[in-house]
Amino acid sequence: MEKYKKMPLEASDIKTLKYQFRPGILFPLMLLVPGVVVVRVISNMNPELLLLTGIDFTWFLMVVVIGLAALMHFTMTRNYRADIKNKVKNVVLKPIQRLEEKTDFEAGSGTLYVGQEMNAHKVFYVIVDNVRHRIDKELYNMLETGGEVAFHYAPVSNYLIKIDRPE
């Protein structure tokens, strides 16, 4: 049986949610910069092309491109903005099915010369609802199979902010 409660967002939670803004900044910029450049290049190369009934539409097209980029930005980030504005998160306690400790190897560390050993490191997982979640060593050492673990979710975007031990 899962237990559920609401808690206020911490400063680290807000920082984590703000990191989710990055695609909402990057993709609109990928539309904005080439769009403005194309409109400016076309208007400089052939000024009559953007003239319609004696009115220059260069600035109108630039405003449309900027507006589309802004609309794209606000659409991509609106759920995270709402989560930050609400200043609340949902904490769900779930039972732990199993804990795992595995040895993983650093990618590309064995390619310097023939016979070189790859760099090994430990990776820790908690399995909840048949899903493996990666956790850090400190949390792994605090948890036990059959116990509970706390999942912190943002309520609007349903973004998993962090996995922590129960309070």
Side-chain angles (χ1 to χ4, degrees), residues 36 43 59 66 70 76 104 111-112 143:
V36 169
S43 69
W59 291 106
I66 292 169
M76 291 179 76
D104 200 3
T111 58
L112 296 177
L143 298 175

Side-chain angles (χ1 to χ4, degrees), residues 24 28-29 31-32 63-77 81:
L29 278 176
L31 168 74
L32 178 69
V63 168
V64 167
V65 169
I66 292 169
L68 286 173
L71 180 68
M72 186 179 194
H73 167 73
F74 287 112
T75 302
M76 291 179 76
T77 61
R81 288 180 191 279

Side-chain angles (χ1 to χ4, degrees), residues 35-103:
V36 169
V37 168
V38 165
V39 170
R40 291 299 297 160
V41 166
I42 290 173
S43 69
N44 286 340
M45 288 178 62
N46 191 357
E48 294 83 27
L49 187 64
L50 297 177
L51 275 177
L52 193 60
T53 65
I55 301 170
D56 187 13
F57 279 95
T58 304
W59 291 106
F60 173 74
L61 288 176
M62 289 179 74
V63 168
V64 167
V65 169
I66 292 169
L68 286 173
L71 180 68
M72 186 179 194
H73 167 73
F74 287 112
T75 302
M76 291 179 76
T77 61
R78 72 174 176 238
N79 290 339
Y80 302 112
R81 288 180 191 279
D83 287 329
I84 292 170
K85 185 178 177 183
N86 288 341
K87 297 180 181 164
V88 131
K89 64 183 174 184
N90 297 332
V91 179
V92 181
L93 297 177
K94 296 183 179 183
I96 298 172
Q97 291 176 322
R98 196 168 76 231
L99 294 169
E100 284 185 0
E101 177 182 343
K102 291 188 174 190
T103 302

Side-chain angles (χ1 to χ4, degrees), residues 85-151:
K85 185 178 177 183
N86 288 341
K87 297 180 181 164
V88 131
K89 64 183 174 184
N90 297 332
V91 179
V92 181
L93 297 177
K94 296 183 179 183
I96 298 172
Q97 291 176 322
R98 196 168 76 231
L99 294 169
E100 284 185 0
E101 177 182 343
K102 291 188 174 190
T103 302
D104 200 3
F105 298 95
E106 183 180 341
S109 64
T111 58
L112 296 177
Y113 57 86
V114 175
Q116 179 183 5
E117 295 285 323
M118 293 184 70
N119 299 334
H121 57 89
K122 296 285 185 186
V123 182
F124 304 95
Y125 297 101
V126 60
I127 291 134
V128 176
D129 296 333
N130 295 325
V131 177
R132 179 183 290 141
H133 299 277
R134 188 171 179 171
I135 56 175
D136 59 359
K137 183 179 182 177
E138 293 80 25
L139 180 59
Y140 178 82
N141 291 332
M142 287 187 248
L143 298 175
E144 58 189 38
T145 301
E148 289 185 325
V149 66
F151 284 78

